[in-house]
């Protein structure tokens, strides 16, 4: 800085130590596998946390981000194609037809961590085998939108303590409180 001013910026870095992997699941790129995984995740959350509000928000984020891995990651549907399919009411027919030809997997990993106060957090990672995407576009989707794209990530961000992508854009991790 040039001259000293009265404003101060604090940057806090937190070291996250994961306890052992709590759960791991590999699923196929099929809508029924997505549905079964949503139920699995919700049941685990209910077992670990008795706050229905936190569980509902975490499950919403899980569902949205898992669907992104399914449709955009492994099936390779781009945003304009998705928008057109939804407008024409052909979206689910398209998914059902194209998932038959897709042999890619989605890997889900859950880690539990706790802070010095004993509060527990769940770190959920969802990784697809797709091409990934340019994560820089995420900064433009957090606000009112007129398209069908980006709403899931926006809602997921509001329902969690944070969403983080790898550089390639094929792995997302989100944090929720237990």
């Amino acid at each position: 800085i040039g001259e000293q001013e009265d404003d101060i910026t604090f940057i806090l870095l937190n070291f996250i130590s994961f306890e052992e992997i709590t759960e791991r699941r590999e699923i196929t790129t099929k809508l029924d596998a997505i549905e079964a995984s949503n139920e699995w995740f919700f049941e685990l959350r209910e077992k670990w946390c008795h706050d229905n509000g936190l569980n509902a928000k975490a499950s919403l984020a899980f569902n949205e981000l898992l669907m992104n891995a399914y449709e955009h990651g492994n099936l390779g549907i781009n945003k304009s194609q998705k928008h057109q399919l939804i407008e024409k009411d052909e979206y689910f027919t398209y998914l059902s037809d194209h998932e038959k030809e897709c042999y890619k997997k989605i890997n889900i990993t859950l880690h539990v961590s706790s802070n010095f106060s004993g509060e527990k957090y769940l770190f959920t990672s969802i990784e697809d085998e797709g091409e990934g995407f340019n994560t820089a576009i995420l900064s433009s989707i957090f606000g009112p939108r007129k398209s069908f794209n980006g709403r899931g990530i926006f809602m997921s961000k509001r329902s969690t303590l944070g969403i983080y992508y790898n550089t390639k854009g094929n792995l997302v991790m989100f944090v929720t409180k237990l």
Side-chain angles (χ1 to χ4, degrees), residues 63-73 82 128 152-153 165:
N63 179 54
E64 292 294 338
L65 297 171
L66 186 58
M67 276 301 290
N68 281 350
Y70 166 84
E71 63 188 6
H72 299 301
K82 179 180 178 179
D128 62 65
I153 296 174
Y165 283 88

Side-chain angles (χ1 to χ4, degrees), residues 28-34 70 75 92-104:
T28 59
T29 305
K30 307 285 184 250
L31 281 174
D32 60 342
I34 299 292
Y70 166 84
L75 292 180
F92 286 106
T93 303
Y94 182 91
L95 295 179
S96 138
D97 290 344
H98 284 77
E99 73 178 16
K100 294 173 188 170
E101 305 163 2
C102 185
Y103 300 100
K104 295 176 182 175

Side-chain angles (χ1 to χ4, degrees), residues 38-177:
N38 284 323
E39 291 172 16
W40 166 79
F41 183 80
F42 188 75
E43 288 170 6
L44 286 174
R45 290 274 325 176
E46 282 189 315
K47 184 171 84 173
W48 296 331
C49 176
H50 302 293
D51 185 319
N52 292 334
L54 288 177
N55 291 342
K57 286 180 178 182
S59 293
L60 170 86
F62 181 78
N63 179 54
E64 292 294 338
L65 297 171
L66 186 58
M67 276 301 290
N68 281 350
Y70 166 84
E71 63 188 6
H72 299 301
N74 285 357
L75 292 180
I77 300 170
N78 66 39
K79 64 182 182 176
S80 62
Q81 184 181 18
K82 179 180 178 179
H83 192 78
Q84 290 171 353
L85 289 167
I86 291 173
E87 278 185 334
K88 294 177 182 177
D89 199 27
E90 298 172 353
Y91 178 68
F92 286 106
T93 303
Y94 182 91
L95 295 179
S96 138
D97 290 344
H98 284 77
E99 73 178 16
K100 294 173 188 170
E101 305 163 2
C102 185
Y103 300 100
K104 295 176 182 175
K105 305 285 186 196
I106 299 172
N107 291 295
I108 304 164
T109 308
L110 309 180
H111 295 275
V112 174
S113 182
S114 53
N115 63 15
F116 294 112
S117 302
E119 297 172 313
K120 292 202 174 277
Y121 297 89
L122 181 62
F123 291 77
T124 304
S125 297
I126 301 169
E127 182 176 19
D128 62 65
E129 294 181 343
E131 306 262 333
F133 73 101
N134 178 3
T135 58
I137 66 169
L138 293 174
S139 62
S140 67
I141 67 167
F142 295 117
R145 305 206 25 102
K146 294 184 179 180
S147 74
F148 298 115
N149 309 107
R151 292 178 189 215
I153 296 174
F154 176 75
M155 290 187 316
S156 297
K157 184 175 183 198
R158 295 193 61 174
S159 299
T160 65
L161 298 174
I163 296 176
Y164 308 94
Y165 283 88
N166 68 351
T167 305
K168 183 178 175 183
N170 73 325
L171 182 143
V172 61
M173 179 177 69
F174 67 94
V175 183
T176 53
K177 192 170 181 179

Side-chain angles (χ1 to χ4, degrees), residues 12-19 112-116 121 123:
L12 303 173
L13 302 175
N14 291 314
F15 175 75
I16 299 170
S17 63
F18 292 127
E19 296 172 11
V112 174
S113 182
S114 53
N115 63 15
F116 294 112
Y121 297 89
F123 291 77

